[in-house]
Amino acid sequence: MSGAVRELFVPASTGALHALEFGRDTGEYPPLICLHGVTGSAWLWHDVAQELGKTRRVIALDLRGHGESYWPELHAYLTDDHIDDLETLVQSLDLPLFDLAGLSWGALIAIGYTARARARVRQLAVVDVEPNFERGEKEVDARPTFFQHRIAALNYERKANPMASDALLDMYAFHSIRPIVGGWERKHDPFFFSCWPFRRDNYWNALREIDRHMLFVHGERSFVRGAVMRQMAASARRGKFCEIAGSGHLVPLERPIELTDALRQFFTTVGSITANTDCAD
């Protein structure tokens, strides 16, 4: 069971950005914007946004090339392009101040945006990402491009995210594919089967320059290195590290309750994280 989810479409440079909206402005906390990673979608944040939406407005964005957002013809998918889209969303919704939470590529976008427009961002949560990469942008692991049946897509997501609940996984898997003749295909630009442009990025310097409170969340079972994320928190001016036990890379999908607890406490009480997670300054 879940509450109402509103869909937003915001005009962008060559198309429209799609977002999901949860909760409402209560005056107690500023809005929260959530960003997913490569080949994901806004629905990844559903359970976290539902809970946090009980006390504030939460907006989960489909990045360009993903979900219901537009696909640029010339594959304009640099992190800076996504930062431009985030700025478009913020201006269209007239958000003078807000919090940010980003997973993976979405976290790099959040860091880059905060470095560019720090006056608008109150606090920032960086979920399971490293600020630079050893593998090149073309070194993308093979993954299915087509499924004959919806259940095949669900089974693939189950294998990739074994700790996710059945209800959330089914919702996420359904919104990650679309019907075509003879089956189902991924609901993102096929470009991402062979290229992840964010592998060009290096955000170490940006992390050191940002003067906002930042929470660095690591999934215990993730391929992202916890030691690197601890170093990120130590490098930031106001950083705190938090590890979610038992979670893989897609923390909002596998451990939404624990992530919600950590985000709620971070965004409502700066510097005080007491959830059932391994958190430290």
Side-chain angles (χ1 to χ4, degrees), residues 137-158:
E137 62 181 319
K138 297 290 187 178
E139 297 178 79
V140 178
D141 293 335
R143 60 186 60 203
T145 62
F146 171 84
F147 301 98
Q148 287 190 325
H149 307 285
R150 281 187 56 197
I151 191 65
L154 177 60
N155 289 339
Y156 174 81
E157 295 296 347
R158 167 58 67 200

Side-chain angles (χ1 to χ4, degrees), residues 91-194:
Q91 291 181 355
S92 297
L93 299 181
D94 190 22
L95 304 179
L97 184 70
F98 56 93
D99 290 333
L100 263 176
L103 167 71
S104 197
W105 195 3
L108 299 181
I109 296 164
I111 293 170
Y113 179 88
T114 304
R116 180 195 295 186
R118 63 193 67 187
R120 286 184 180 268
V121 180
R122 189 185 68 133
Q123 297 181 95
L124 169 62
V126 173
V127 184
D128 217 60
V129 76
E130 298 182 20
N132 68 314
F133 302 87
E134 297 175 351
R135 300 178 69 183
E137 62 181 319
K138 297 290 187 178
E139 297 178 79
V140 178
D141 293 335
R143 60 186 60 203
T145 62
F146 171 84
F147 301 98
Q148 287 190 325
H149 307 285
R150 281 187 56 197
I151 191 65
L154 177 60
N155 289 339
Y156 174 81
E157 295 296 347
R158 167 58 67 200
K159 184 176 180 180
N161 306 282
M163 304 305 295
S165 70
D166 291 339
L168 180 56
L169 193 71
D170 185 65
M171 178 185 296
Y172 176 67
F174 174 75
H175 287 287
S176 296
I177 55 177
R178 62 183 179 183
I180 59 173
V181 175
W184 301 77
E185 68 175 3
R186 293 282 188 179
K187 198 185 290 186
H188 61 69
D189 194 327
F191 174 81
F192 298 118
F193 286 118
S194 60

Side-chain angles (χ1 to χ4, degrees), residues 103-104 126-130 217-219 222-224 229 248-249 251:
L103 167 71
S104 197
V126 173
V127 184
D128 217 60
V129 76
E130 298 182 20
V217 182
H218 178 248
S222 173
F223 56 83
V224 173
M229 293 208 69
H249 178 55
V251 185

Side-chain angles (χ1 to χ4, degrees), residues 9-274:
F9 287 92
V10 173
S13 56
T14 59
L17 293 167
H18 172 259
L20 304 176
E21 186 178 36
F22 306 79
R24 61 183 179 82
D25 285 322
T26 63
E28 187 174 5
Y29 306 110
L32 169 64
I33 298 178
C34 299
L35 306 173
H36 65 82
V38 66
T39 73
S41 76
W43 289 98
L44 179 76
W45 288 96
H46 177 272
D47 282 19
V48 173
Q50 284 282 357
E51 284 300 310
L52 296 180
K54 293 177 179 179
T55 56
R56 70 195 307 175
R57 183 184 185 192
V58 182
I59 301 152
L61 175 66
D62 271 339
L63 302 181
R64 65 166 66 188
H66 296 77
E68 305 300 331
S69 287
Y70 74 105
W71 298 7
E73 293 182 0
L74 300 180
H75 297 149
Y77 290 125
L78 297 181
T79 300
D80 280 344
D81 296 318
H82 292 292
I83 293 172
D84 290 341
D85 285 344
L86 179 55
E87 179 62 26
T88 296
L89 178 74
V90 168
Q91 291 181 355
S92 297
L93 299 181
D94 190 22
L95 304 179
L97 184 70
F98 56 93
D99 290 333
L100 263 176
L103 167 71
S104 197
W105 195 3
L108 299 181
I109 296 164
I111 293 170
Y113 179 88
T114 304
R116 180 195 295 186
R118 63 193 67 187
R120 286 184 180 268
V121 180
R122 189 185 68 133
Q123 297 181 95
L124 169 62
V126 173
V127 184
D128 217 60
V129 76
E130 298 182 20
N132 68 314
F133 302 87
E134 297 175 351
R135 300 178 69 183
E137 62 181 319
K138 297 290 187 178
E139 297 178 79
V140 178
D141 293 335
R143 60 186 60 203
T145 62
F146 171 84
F147 301 98
Q148 287 190 325
H149 307 285
R150 281 187 56 197
I151 191 65
L154 177 60
N155 289 339
Y156 174 81
E157 295 296 347
R158 167 58 67 200
K159 184 176 180 180
N161 306 282
M163 304 305 295
S165 70
D166 291 339
L168 180 56
L169 193 71
D170 185 65
M171 178 185 296
Y172 176 67
F174 174 75
H175 287 287
S176 296
I177 55 177
R178 62 183 179 183
I180 59 173
V181 175
W184 301 77
E185 68 175 3
R186 293 282 188 179
K187 198 185 290 186
H188 61 69
D189 194 327
F191 174 81
F192 298 118
F193 286 118
S194 60
C195 185
W196 289 0
F198 60 86
R199 293 248 177 93
R200 307 179 189 180
D201 295 343
N202 187 321
Y203 276 97
W204 280 111
N205 287 337
L207 284 175
R208 298 183 182 103
E209 295 170 0
I210 293 172
D211 61 356
R212 296 294 184 261
H213 287 277
M214 302 177 68
L215 177 65
F216 296 85
V217 182
H218 178 248
E220 180 189 27
R221 297 173 47 255
S222 173
F223 56 83
V224 173
R225 294 171 293 182
V228 174
M229 293 208 69
R230 286 183 183 273
Q231 185 181 354
M232 293 166 70
S235 298
R237 296 187 186 183
R238 303 177 184 179
K240 182 174 287 289
F241 175 83
C242 181
E243 185 162 84
I244 305 295
S247 181
H249 178 55
L250 299 188
V251 185
L253 188 64
E254 291 208 47
R255 285 287 189 258
I257 295 174
E258 293 83 353
L259 179 59
T260 298
D261 288 344
L263 294 180
R264 180 186 289 118
Q265 292 180 50
F266 171 67
F267 286 130
T268 59
T269 308
V270 174
S272 176
I273 305 292
T274 59

